Amino acid sequence: MMRYIKLVNFEINRFSKIYLSLLLITLVSQFAGVIIVTKSLLNDARDIMKEERLSEAAYITNYGGIDFNHIANSLLFVGPIALSAVALIFYIFLIWYRDWFGKNTFIYRLLMLPTSRLSIYLSKATSIFLMVLGLIAFQIIILPMENALFNSNVPEALLSEMSISTITVANPILSLIIPSTFTQFLISYGIGLMIMSILFTAIMFERSFRIKGIIMGLLYCGIAAVLFLAPVLMEIGNFYFYPNELFGLMLAIGIILTGLSVWLGAWLLKNRVTV
């Protein structure tokens, strides 16, 4: 267990500089977005009131108030979230291939460690999942601060104040990464874990069989996608499932695919990937 924890810590430390950069970019960009977009919205509102000779009350009646949705939908706000998501998806591949193609071919030393290769597999998966949770936690922490800054910069007469829960529900991206219920959290991040385990297994196919492995990996990803979406595809045809039945089927298939992918990926790493 201690070796597994040390491996997780090692993997996180290897990505720490890029990870901290993502956090810093998110912090600076989103707070800059609050200031810049708020100023732009207020200037537009004042221009309209001046041109149409409206009072603040009349402006609210005709155009509505200014709320945080304008900030949450801006590029400066959602851009860092998208960048972080792309970076972590890319890291799913980098976390393995860096060990093979790095300067010192580190995978040889890693696979020779006196520990189970399953621990190596799980440590890489765990480190990525922990970094995802860390980014989400960071967003949850700074979102109330951004909302407070926005509320303080908008005149009370023009402000449509929103709670944090309302902001997360109203914005599609925030509602995806910050689910409103624990069940939705398990569904969203359970699917993420499943996709990561499938991609890990595809990488193990490629590392085990090279060119043939690429084809095998792609086939595995395709078959897994079809199996997971099978209940939905069946509904398009002549089959009908009640919502609870559809959820139960997809949950069961997702758990099976995740378990199968972890087992198969670990088996390939142990028996087919050699040093």
Side-chain angles (χ1 to χ4, degrees):
M1 186 65 180
M2 287 302 299
R3 287 174 179 171
Y4 162 73
I5 294 174
K6 288 180 180 179
L7 284 170
V8 172
N9 182 64
F10 173 74
E11 292 293 349
I12 291 176
N13 286 337
R14 295 175 80 190
F15 192 63
S16 59
K17 292 182 180 179
I18 298 176
Y19 188 68
L20 291 174
S21 298
L22 291 174
L23 295 178
L24 182 61
I25 290 170
T26 300
L27 180 69
V28 173
S29 179
Q30 290 190 354
F31 273 94
V34 172
I35 296 170
I36 294 170
V37 176
T38 301
K39 185 176 180 180
S40 176
L41 290 170
L42 290 175
N43 288 338
D44 291 343
R46 293 189 183 105
D47 289 342
I48 292 173
M49 285 188 286
K50 184 177 180 180
E51 290 174 4
E52 301 183 13
R53 297 181 180 179
L54 300 175
S55 65
E56 290 179 338
Y59 177 86
I60 291 291
T61 301
N62 293 341
Y63 296 97
I66 300 175
D67 58 50
F68 195 83
N69 269 335
H70 294 90
I71 308 296
N73 291 322
S74 68
L75 180 61
L76 284 170
F77 190 91
V78 301
I81 298 175
L83 176 64
S84 298
V86 171
L88 287 174
I89 291 172
F90 176 72
Y91 193 62
I92 290 176
F93 297 90
L94 182 64
I95 200 171
W96 286 107
Y97 287 111
R98 175 180 55 185
D99 292 339
W100 264 281
F101 300 114
K103 185 176 180 180
N104 298 317
T105 318
F106 185 74
I107 191 65
Y108 297 134
R109 295 168 57 191
L110 194 61
L111 294 180
M112 292 297 289
L113 289 175
T115 186
S116 168
R117 291 192 180 182
L118 177 61
S119 295
I120 298 172
Y121 180 98
L122 292 179
S123 67
K124 292 181 181 292
T126 302
S127 63
I128 292 175
F129 189 64
L130 288 177
M131 285 186 281
V132 170
L133 294 182
L135 285 170
I136 302 309
F138 184 71
Q139 184 65 74
I140 292 173
I141 291 170
I142 65 174
L143 186 57
M145 302 177 190
E146 294 163 349
N147 191 35
L149 177 62
F150 171 78
N151 291 340
S152 66
N153 285 339
V154 178
E156 188 174 347
L158 297 176
L159 177 63
S160 292
E161 194 167 348
M162 299 176 69
S163 66
I164 299 301
S165 59
T166 303
I167 293 170
T168 56
V169 170
N171 185 271
I173 294 178
L174 288 178
S175 64
L176 178 64
I177 66 172
I178 309 176
S180 57
T181 66
F182 184 66
T183 301
Q184 290 177 338
F185 171 83
L186 291 178
I187 293 171
S188 296
Y189 290 96
I191 291 174
L193 276 174
M194 178 189 71
I195 293 173
M196 181 176 64
S197 66
I198 290 170
L199 291 177
F200 269 22
T201 302
I203 293 169
M204 290 301 100
F205 271 120
E206 188 279 328
R207 288 290 84 197
S208 299
F209 304 103
R210 299 304 190 267
I211 300 299
K212 292 181 181 179
I214 296 175
I215 299 173
M216 294 169 70
L218 291 174
L219 284 174
Y220 183 78
C221 290
I223 293 171
V226 171
L227 287 175
F228 182 68
L229 297 174
V232 177
L233 297 175
M234 291 170 67
E235 279 211 322
I236 298 176
N238 298 322
F239 290 86
Y240 176 78
F241 298 105
Y242 290 105
N244 288 340
E245 293 175 335
L246 182 62
F247 172 75
L249 279 173
M250 296 188 73
L251 177 63
I253 294 171
I255 293 173
I256 292 171
L257 284 174
T258 302
L260 176 63
S261 297
V262 171
W263 173 83
L264 183 55
W267 184 88
L268 288 169
L269 181 62
K270 179 181 178 180
N271 297 288
R272 301 296 305 186
V273 177
T274 61
V275 297

